[in-house]
């Protein structure tokens, strides 16, 4: 049996608005191991995206804990072994979590190359030449090495999303978060983005993916989380979720999307 | 009834043309210094307004260091004194007439509180009148430019910040490399407009005796009892100052936007 290294442990995560009148996340507990491809599915408004965005604190949860690399990142500061208060530096943790957005969020005023090398050069202080070599290698992998000097506006949606994925990879993250990466794409472009994600998964990258692509969930995911109304209603392997769904909400959801 | 404009009157005010030349120099200098002061002030103010400086943040945390959800402490923890001061400044300056502000700075601040050395530079500009005028106009345009900058920065899609922060960039790095380069392009037309407004609004300083173009008009009127013709001269001068300015900035604007729309 392979050893399981826990990367992220989420406990009772809550996100409340208006002092609890609206519960976007209502006590979500989940764990993500090294090498996992966790796929989060569920109807819209179920809190999938909020859950994912909470993982790197783009949304600040109002309760619960997210243990990432042995640090509870939901706390602004914590006491170390000697009892000293240590501030949680979110920028450091975010470097280890790559994120891919629904609307790509490439920087429109920079070329593809500059988009990719900006964070490594400015944040990690990687030498420019080294970053460029690495960027070219990554661009080659997604078949876009000839577009290095183009601006994002000149690319198609699928190309933009592939760039967004390799831009996040430039920081050598330990885990990649995908927030509906194919939802804003034309149907014929979905495949090229999913292919890149599949390739990443086979290389052993830890991934958390929020998506409506059930085919991808079944084929690539090794753990499926089903969310509705801010709660995690069911989790399991793709066989369990798609083969023998237990919760009535999940059965209803699957009957609509499959 | 007389004609609206009598051509021979232009000949009668011609001997006073030196006053208009001096007026143009003063107006241009007023505008340049005002823009400089206003710009620096606006950068400071908009940074204050958008800052995240909450000295009472600890009141909103519970014993474990979590953010609490409700209570007096939470309200107090979100109080940002820098933002409050900047907002108050901007709202007060924008909600009162410039002519009042100029008078208060000249008669109040520099009349009673601070004594300025009285000397003339360029041979005719009275420093003790010119300086308060620049300060008052600069403070006023700082408030307007602050709002332009803030709205420009906040008009950038939030996804840009999210992408930058998710790559591990700090707040400052995000501002410097991602937000500002895009925001400056967006706010250039509004800033150009504000520059033109400053040139025109500097006319108000003639009320405290700054010898700008308007004061030349009044001097000529006092000496010759001719009113319409000097006003027309002033109109032409202001137009010749403002129109090229806005055209020049429009030119830069086109050059800057060349990069992103191909």
């Amino acid at each position: 049996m392979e050893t399981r290294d826990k990367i992220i442990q989420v406990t009772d995560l809550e996100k409340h608005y208006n002092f609890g009148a609206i519960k976007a996340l209502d006590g979500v507990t989940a764990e993500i191991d090294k090498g996992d491809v966790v796929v989060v599915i569920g109807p819209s408004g179920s809190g999938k995206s909020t859950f994912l965005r909470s993982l790197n604190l783009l949304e600040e949860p109002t309760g619960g804990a997210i243990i990432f690399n042995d640090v509870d990142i939901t706390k602004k500061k914590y006491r170390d072994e000697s009892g000293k208060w240590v501030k949680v530096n979110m920028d450091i943790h975010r470097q280890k979590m790559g994120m891919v957005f629904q609307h790509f969020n490439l920087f429109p005023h920079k070329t593809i190359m500059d988009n990719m090398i900006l964070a490594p050069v400015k944040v990690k202080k990687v030498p420019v030449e080294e970053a460029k070599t690495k960027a070219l290698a990554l661009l080659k992998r997604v078949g876009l090495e000839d577009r290095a000097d183009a601006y994002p506006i000149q690319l198609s949606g699928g190309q933009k999303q592939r760039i967004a994925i390799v831009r996040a990879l430039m920081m050598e993250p330990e885990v990649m978060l995908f927030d509906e990466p194919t939802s804003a794409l034309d149907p014929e472009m979905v495949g090229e983005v999913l292919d890149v994600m599949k390739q990443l998964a086979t290389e052993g990258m830890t991934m958390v993916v929020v998506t409506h692509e059930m085919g991808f969930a079944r084929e690539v995911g090794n753990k499926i989380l089903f969310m509705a109304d801010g709660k995690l209603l069911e989790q399991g392997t793709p066989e369990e979720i798609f083969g023998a769904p237990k919760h009535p909400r999940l059965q209803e959801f699957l009957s609509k999307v499959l | 009834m007389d004609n609206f404009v009598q051509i021979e009157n232009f000949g009668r005010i011609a001997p006073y043309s030196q006053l208009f030349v001096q007026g143009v120099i003063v107006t241009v200098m007023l505008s340049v210094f005002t823009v400089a002061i206003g710009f620096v002030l606006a950068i400071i103010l908009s940074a204050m307004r958008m800052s995240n400086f909450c000295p009472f943040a600890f009141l909103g945390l519970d014993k474990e260091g979590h953010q609490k959800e409700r209570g007096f402490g939470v309200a107090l923890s979100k109080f940002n004194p820098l933002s409050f001061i900047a907002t108050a400044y901007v709202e007060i300056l924008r909600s009162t007439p410039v002519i009042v502000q100029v008078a208060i700075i000249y008669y109040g601040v520099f009349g009673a509180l601070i004594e300025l050395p009285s000397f003339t530079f360029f041979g005719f500009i009275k420093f003790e009148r010119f300086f308060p005028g620049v300060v008052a106009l600069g403070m006023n345009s700082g408030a307007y430019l602050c709002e332009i900058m803030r709205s420009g920065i906040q008009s950038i899609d939030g996804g840009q910040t999210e992408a930058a922060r998710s790559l591990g960039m700090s707040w400052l790095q995000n501002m410097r490399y991602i937000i500002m380069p895009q925001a400056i392009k967006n706010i250039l037309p509004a800033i150009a407009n504000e520059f033109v407004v400053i040139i025109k609004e500097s006319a108000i300083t003639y009320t405290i005796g700054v010898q700008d173009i308007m004061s030349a008009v009044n001097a000529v009127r006092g000496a010759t009892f001719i009113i319409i013709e000097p006003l027309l001269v002033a109109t032409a001068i202001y137009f010749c100052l403002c129109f090229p300015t806005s055209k020049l900035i429009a030119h830069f604007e086109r050059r800057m936007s060349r990069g992103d729309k191909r």
Side-chain angles (χ1 to χ4, degrees):
Chain A
M1 210 181 123
E2 57 176 324
T3 51
R4 314 232 70 181
D5 282 335
K6 212 184 289 172
I7 285 195
I8 303 178
Q9 166 74 55
V10 182
T11 317
D12 270 332
L13 198 65
E14 287 178 353
K15 172 76 180 177
H16 291 180
Y17 295 100
N18 295 346
F19 304 121
I22 299 159
K23 293 175 178 167
L25 286 179
D26 194 3
V28 174
T29 301
E31 57 188 67
I32 294 144
D33 300 326
K34 204 166 175 50
D36 263 354
V37 178
V38 177
V39 181
V40 189
I41 59 171
S44 20
S46 59
K48 319 183 286 292
S49 279
T50 312
F51 170 70
L52 191 80
R53 291 158 56 83
S54 298
L55 292 182
N56 70 353
L57 293 206
L58 287 182
E59 302 276 355
E60 236 173 276
T62 45
I66 301 167
I67 317 283
F68 177 64
N69 285 340
D70 300 324
V71 176
D72 183 355
I73 55 174
T74 60
K75 291 179 182 175
K76 299 231 157 55
K77 51 187 180 179
Y78 64 95
R79 271 185 208 277
D80 64 6
E81 304 88 55
S82 57
K84 241 173 56 185
W85 283 106
V86 184
K87 263 200 163 174
V88 176
N89 185 350
M90 212 34 227
D91 294 338
I92 303 275
H93 295 297
R94 283 195 181 118
Q95 289 172 30
K96 297 173 190 156
M97 297 183 177
M99 181 136 186
V100 176
F101 300 87
Q102 183 176 356
H103 297 288
F104 332 124
N105 295 349
L106 295 181
F107 307 132
H109 59 301
K110 293 197 176 292
T111 61
I112 299 307
M113 179 56 80
D114 289 340
N115 260 281
M116 292 180 69
I117 67 172
L118 182 68
V121 169
K122 298 300 177 191
V123 179
K124 283 175 118 183
K125 311 289 178 205
V126 177
V128 176
E129 284 312 311
E130 196 184 319
K132 279 192 172 167
T133 317
K134 200 174 159 208
L136 275 177
L138 278 169
L139 283 174
K140 203 163 203 157
R141 237 180 80 176
V142 295
L144 290 169
E145 68 269 32
D146 53 332
R147 310 311 303 273
D149 295 320
Y151 282 87
I153 198 158
Q154 298 166 285
L155 301 183
S156 72
Q159 290 175 327
K160 280 186 207 171
Q161 195 61 298
R162 281 185 278 160
I163 298 293
I165 293 173
V166 287
R167 180 178 71 177
L169 288 177
M170 285 293 288
M171 294 299 282
E172 295 171 343
E174 292 172 20
V175 49
M176 286 283 283
L177 312 175
F178 293 85
D179 189 3
E180 306 203 17
T182 57
S183 298
L185 296 177
D186 292 340
E188 79 267 25
M189 291 171 181
V190 170
E192 62 191 58
V193 172
L194 290 183
D195 285 343
V196 174
M197 290 166 66
K198 269 179 218 165
Q199 197 190 340
L200 261 184
T202 47
E203 283 164 17
M205 172 62 77
T206 313
M207 292 160 64
V208 185
V209 186
V210 170
T211 188
H212 294 289
E213 296 290 330
M214 293 304 146
F216 176 85
R218 197 195 290 235
E219 191 187 332
V220 185
N222 71 330
K223 190 193 264 179
I224 313 284
L225 309 181
F226 173 70
M227 290 185 68
D229 303 329
K231 291 192 182 70
L232 183 60
L233 293 184
E234 194 165 334
Q235 56 176 313
T237 63
E239 294 78 41
E240 289 166 359
I241 295 285
F242 293 105
K246 290 186 210 75
H247 201 282
R249 285 294 298 273
L250 176 56
Q251 291 166 352
E252 185 197 334
F253 174 73
L254 288 178
S255 73
K256 277 180 193 158
V257 296
L258 286 180
Chain B
M1 227 177 118
D2 284 348
N3 285 335
F4 176 64
V5 178
Q6 288 168 306
I7 302 298
E8 64 269 25
N9 277 351
F10 284 111
R12 282 163 64 195
I13 64 169
Y16 301 94
S17 62
Q18 188 57 30
L19 285 177
F20 283 102
V21 174
Q22 290 180 354
V24 171
I25 295 170
V26 172
T27 296
V28 168
M29 286 190 55
L30 263 179
S31 309
V32 169
F33 282 114
T34 301
V35 165
I37 293 177
F39 219 75
V40 173
L41 199 62
I43 289 170
I44 298 169
L45 284 171
S46 50
M48 281 167 76
R49 278 198 77 160
M50 289 181 299
S51 69
N52 223 343
F53 172 72
C54 299
F56 306 115
F58 66 92
L59 291 174
L61 300 181
D62 62 19
K63 276 179 213 125
E64 291 175 327
H66 275 296
Q67 180 74 42
K68 279 193 285 196
E69 252 179 79
R70 61 162 88 205
F72 183 66
V74 175
L76 208 58
S77 75
K78 289 188 179 139
F79 176 68
N80 181 343
L82 289 182
S83 169
F84 179 80
I85 292 168
T87 309
Y89 176 90
V90 168
E91 293 305 337
I92 291 170
L93 269 281
R94 290 205 308 170
S95 313
T96 49
V98 197
I99 193 164
V100 175
Q101 292 163 13
V102 169
I104 287 179
I105 295 290
Y106 177 66
Y107 296 109
V109 176
F110 289 107
L113 296 177
I114 305 165
E115 199 169 330
L116 285 174
S118 103
F119 61 91
T120 58
F121 58 107
F122 279 17
F124 59 92
I125 304 176
K126 293 199 192 87
F127 179 77
E128 74 275 18
R129 290 177 187 273
F130 181 80
F131 187 73
V134 165
V135 169
L137 285 177
M139 284 174 68
N140 182 273
S141 71
Y144 281 92
L145 284 169
C146 163
E147 283 302 277
I148 292 172
M149 287 182 185
R150 187 182 60 85
S151 65
I153 288 168
Q154 289 177 344
S155 72
I156 303 299
D157 176 30
Q160 294 288 310
T161 300
E162 288 184 353
R165 297 306 296 273
S166 79
L167 286 166
M169 283 189 224
S170 66
W171 183 89
L172 201 67
Q173 286 170 326
N174 171 40
M175 271 296 165
R176 182 162 155 213
Y177 300 116
I178 308 302
I179 304 301
M180 286 314 271
Q182 298 183 57
I184 286 173
K185 217 180 296 178
N186 286 358
I187 62 180
L188 218 56
I191 287 188
N193 186 42
E194 179 62 21
F195 283 0
V196 172
V197 167
I198 288 169
I199 296 175
K200 292 186 288 179
E201 229 165 45
S202 68
I204 214 88
T205 54
Y206 96 91
T207 57
I208 59 168
V210 179
Q211 312 108 299
D212 73 333
I213 299 169
M214 258 325 268
S215 101
V217 171
N218 281 289
V220 173
R221 184 177 67 173
T224 62
F225 302 106
I226 302 172
I227 176 64
I228 294 295
E229 288 76 10
L231 278 174
L232 288 179
V233 172
T235 308
I237 293 175
Y238 276 118
F239 181 81
C240 290
L241 287 176
C242 293
F243 186 66
T245 306
S246 55
K247 282 291 154 203
L248 189 73
I249 297 178
H251 170 72
F252 280 119
E253 205 186 306
R254 272 196 301 278
R255 274 185 51 173
M256 278 184 81
S257 61
R258 213 180 271 170
D260 56 354
K261 287 188 186 90
R262 291 193 245 186

